[in-house]
Amino acid sequence: MNYLKHVGKYFIMLRQVFRKPQKWSVFQEMLFREIEDLGLKSLGIIAFISFFVGGVIAIQTALNVDNPFIPKYLIGFATKQSMILEFAPTFMSVILAGKVGSYISSSIGTMRVTEQIDALEVMGINSLNYLVLPKIIATVFFYPLLISLAMFLGILGGYFAGTLTDLFNSEDYIYGLRLDFDPYYIQYALIKTVVFAFVIATIPAYHGYYVKGGSLEVGRASTQAVVWTSVVIILLNYFLTQMLLA
Amino acid sequence: MIEVVDLYKEFKGIPVLKGITTTFEKGVTNMIIGQSGSGKTVFLKCLVGLHIPDSGIISFDGRKHTELGIKEHRLLRQEIGMVFQGGALYDSLTVEENIMFPLKMFTDQSFEENLDRVNFVLKRVNLENANKKFPAELSGGMQKRVSIARAIVMNPKYLFCDEPNSGLDPNTATVIDNLIKEITEEYQIITVINSHDMNSVMEIGEKIIFLKDGVKEWQGSNKEIFKTENEAVVNFVYSSNLFRKVREVYLKETK
């Protein structure tokens, strides 16, 4: 019953979030700040992880396909499919849930316990709309770019890992990348990304906004936010895959 | 005038405010006092609209809160300034940005006009040249002054202060008290202060409301509080030896 109560409260929160911003110039300013905090500041970690994981996928695939009847170009094919279909959209989103989710939850939670949200409300500002809507817009529009970059860097990582260690040659790898390429897979990955971006912005915001107590509770809310965001991403990943691919 | 009639509020079945009726006049520093858990903060939060009362009427110059729509409520709130116990300044914004925030949000003035207004209120609270500092770089007293500056930047009709002196040394507390009193008289604001600080009560409490267990137990001025025979008020206000002696001397002198 308690879970249902939280789900209901979450949707009631969303109703308050999706209102017309009270002042467009202030909203715009907030939006650019959120793009920087939630998007640009995640570029480094996303680039680093995807490049090396792409490399690891390529090496592991190469080491596991030592049968001469299995063509080498399958390494490029497997790396591309893994990166585009699963690793970039889903696991990067889980990583972002940890990095960005805890930031959103703790920053809003701290505003709550230090009465900064009350100060907004007393001024007559819709605090949910002011604080959460720019985060949603920033993540929903910026994360597809971030995830596209992760796909590219992962595939590039695979290329360098294989060619530098002579596990496969570049022609085979590039042939594998081009083999049976379906643009719909990109579309599928980006649809997932948009849904996950929404989840990454809203679930931690919910946990932070309704926190009660002090700094300890803010820390707990932050942990809860990361756990629930990850759980929801994994569940939605399953349902979206069923709906879009099966 | 703010008029409160028969205000009730409960949390999870436990009544916190039990039928409070009072008025707050313009240009007067009104103080709410009482022990911890007496309902002071809940009362203040009901007044500013952070808590919705279960029953009763709060009327701001004839505008009853229960009859206002969401838009009218928002407009009313723009006439309210509030000084929070911890300051509630936005950590990521400088002093200037903190004070300018309501101006940016609710007016169409240019940046220069906003800056003039910010500098004016900063001067009013004796904090010139602090524009570019962040809240974390300020002392507790300075943070309170910035909070007061932010609260008055929109020329509010109503000013609410939640324990403005908590955590401050006696000198700074007196500065803050005097500042609030001066602003109240100068701009003819309706000021309501929630306080534990008996110095403030004696110094600037032109109208004092004493709450006990969610009930208005006593009401009077800082002169009348010396003469009151109300046992609950006497036990609360004169709980320290110093204040008891001050009261005895005052009563002897005025006999």
Side-chain angles (χ1 to χ4, degrees):
Chain A
M1 280 306 281
N2 204 28
Y3 290 126
L4 278 179
K5 193 179 129 192
H6 282 293
V7 172
K9 211 168 156 187
Y10 169 79
F11 283 106
I12 290 169
M13 178 194 88
L14 290 183
R15 261 185 64 193
Q16 287 296 316
V17 171
F18 288 104
R19 296 278 165 99
K20 192 179 142 206
Q22 278 163 287
K23 189 90 180 260
W24 283 104
S25 57
V26 176
F27 175 77
Q28 212 175 359
E29 205 178 294
M30 282 292 281
L31 180 62
F32 285 123
R33 192 176 293 172
E34 299 298 359
I35 287 175
E36 189 190 345
D37 285 343
L38 310 181
L40 292 172
K41 286 184 179 170
S42 304
L43 260 174
I45 186 83
I46 293 296
F48 177 78
I49 294 176
S50 48
F51 185 83
F52 283 97
V53 169
V56 170
I57 291 172
I59 292 170
Q60 287 187 352
T61 312
L63 294 175
N64 283 289
V65 290
D66 52 358
N67 189 321
F69 291 106
I70 299 176
K72 289 279 185 196
Y73 61 73
L74 275 185
I75 299 164
F77 180 78
T79 308
K80 174 194 73 182
Q81 295 294 79
S82 311
M83 287 306 299
I84 292 176
L85 291 174
E86 214 44 51
F87 183 79
T90 308
F91 289 97
M92 278 301 155
S93 294
V94 172
I95 288 163
L96 286 169
K99 183 187 177 286
V100 174
S102 60
Y103 167 74
I104 291 176
S105 178
S106 58
S107 60
I108 295 181
T110 304
M111 285 187 80
R112 166 63 74 198
V113 300
T114 56
E115 296 181 307
Q116 293 176 46
I117 290 178
D118 286 348
L120 287 172
E121 289 289 333
V122 169
M123 282 179 206
I125 294 166
N126 176 347
S127 58
L128 276 168
N129 172 271
Y130 172 75
L131 292 171
V132 185
L133 189 61
K135 289 180 173 55
I136 295 174
I137 307 283
T139 53
V140 163
F141 283 95
F142 197 80
Y143 283 5
L145 297 175
L146 210 58
I147 298 306
S148 303
L149 181 77
M151 290 174 192
F152 171 74
L153 288 175
I155 291 169
L156 193 70
Y159 175 83
F160 280 118
T163 51
L164 292 176
T165 52
D166 277 340
L167 278 169
F168 49 81
N169 60 48
S170 64
E171 287 77 20
D172 281 341
Y173 188 77
I174 292 167
Y175 181 79
L177 292 182
R178 286 175 169 179
L179 181 72
D180 203 17
F181 177 73
D182 186 351
Y184 179 70
Y185 288 161
I186 303 278
Q187 210 178 320
Y188 155 78
L190 294 182
I191 290 170
K192 285 206 302 187
T193 303
V194 168
V195 175
F196 298 158
F198 183 82
V199 169
I200 290 169
T202 53
I203 292 182
Y206 170 81
H207 281 277
Y209 192 82
Y210 292 106
V211 74
K212 278 181 187 158
S215 50
L216 190 67
E217 283 75 14
V218 173
R220 278 196 193 125
S222 197
T223 311
Q224 288 259 305
V226 174
V227 170
W228 278 108
T229 308
S230 307
V231 168
V232 171
I233 286 174
I234 299 296
L235 284 175
L236 284 175
N237 184 41
Y238 174 76
F239 291 117
L240 286 170
T241 305
Q242 275 283 347
M243 280 162 59
L244 298 169
L245 287 186
Chain B
M1 183 174 72
I2 300 175
E3 205 176 348
V4 180
V5 183
D6 212 14
L7 196 72
Y8 274 86
K9 177 73 186 168
E10 62 174 47
F11 290 102
K12 291 178 181 172
I14 300 163
V16 178
L17 300 178
K18 302 168 192 167
I20 293 177
T21 298
T22 190
T23 56
F24 299 110
E25 302 288 339
K26 206 195 274 187
V28 174
T29 44
N30 302 279
M31 301 198 89
I32 306 165
I33 60 169
Q35 286 179 331
S36 299
S38 60
K40 299 189 302 291
T41 302
V42 174
F43 183 40
L44 200 74
K45 287 192 171 178
C46 284
L47 290 176
V48 297
L50 289 173
H51 287 327
I52 311 289
D54 296 324
S55 67
I57 294 167
I58 301 169
S59 160
F60 291 82
D61 293 314
R63 290 169 293 177
K64 292 177 186 167
H65 81 287
T66 44
E67 291 171 4
L68 299 177
I70 293 173
K71 265 193 179 173
E72 291 153 320
H73 237 287
R74 292 242 155 90
L75 286 173
L76 171 65
R77 284 182 175 190
Q78 286 164 31
E79 296 174 9
I80 292 175
M82 181 147 181
V83 179
F84 285 86
Q85 194 174 350
L89 299 173
Y90 306 120
D91 306 324
S92 57
L93 304 182
T94 61
V95 166
E96 185 179 290
E97 289 166 335
N98 259 288
I99 301 170
M100 204 183 277
F101 181 75
L103 295 170
K104 272 166 69 180
M105 203 72 193
F106 300 113
T107 70
D108 292 319
Q109 293 177 167
S110 66
F111 176 79
E112 285 72 25
E113 285 171 310
N114 286 344
L115 190 60
D116 283 347
R117 178 72 188 149
V118 169
N119 287 332
F120 174 78
V121 290
L122 274 175
K123 197 175 172 190
R124 188 67 198 77
V125 298
N126 303 318
L127 259 185
E128 292 126 310
N129 307 321
N131 294 48
K132 300 296 172 197
K133 288 189 173 164
F134 282 92
E137 298 172 301
L138 304 174
S139 67
M142 286 165 96
Q143 286 188 13
K144 286 278 162 66
R145 279 189 274 167
V146 175
S147 186
I148 293 171
R150 186 178 66 184
I152 62 169
V153 74
M154 291 283 287
N155 275 326
K157 285 184 180 174
Y158 318 100
L159 179 65
F160 297 92
C161 308
D162 189 14
E163 304 202 12
N165 291 334
S166 69
L168 299 181
D169 64 82
N171 278 341
T172 315
T174 309
V175 170
I176 298 290
D177 281 344
N178 292 336
L179 185 62
I180 293 172
K181 188 167 167 54
E182 281 166 28
I183 288 166
T184 304
E185 286 169 0
E186 196 176 323
Y187 302 113
Q188 286 295 297
I189 302 172
I190 299 175
T191 300
V192 182
I193 306 166
N194 191 348
S195 187
H196 264 135
D197 184 350
M198 287 309 123
N199 270 329
S200 303
V201 175
M202 300 301 184
E203 284 288 326
I204 61 164
E206 289 169 280
K207 179 177 181 179
I208 302 161
I209 293 166
F210 177 73
L211 295 186
K212 192 186 173 203
D213 300 329
V215 176
K216 189 179 83 178
E217 177 79 20
W218 182 86
Q219 178 177 306
S221 69
N222 52 359
K223 302 282 181 291
E224 288 162 342
I225 209 164
F226 278 108
K227 296 172 191 166
T228 182
E229 295 298 326
N230 185 306
E231 202 183 338
V233 177
V234 172
N235 287 341
F236 176 72
V237 177
Y238 306 103
S239 56
S240 79
N241 282 333
L242 178 68
F243 276 114
R244 258 200 302 276
K245 279 175 188 162
V246 170
R247 183 177 184 241
E248 281 164 18
V249 172
Y250 179 86
L251 290 176
K252 266 183 201 167
E253 280 179 2
T254 51
K255 254 183 190 176

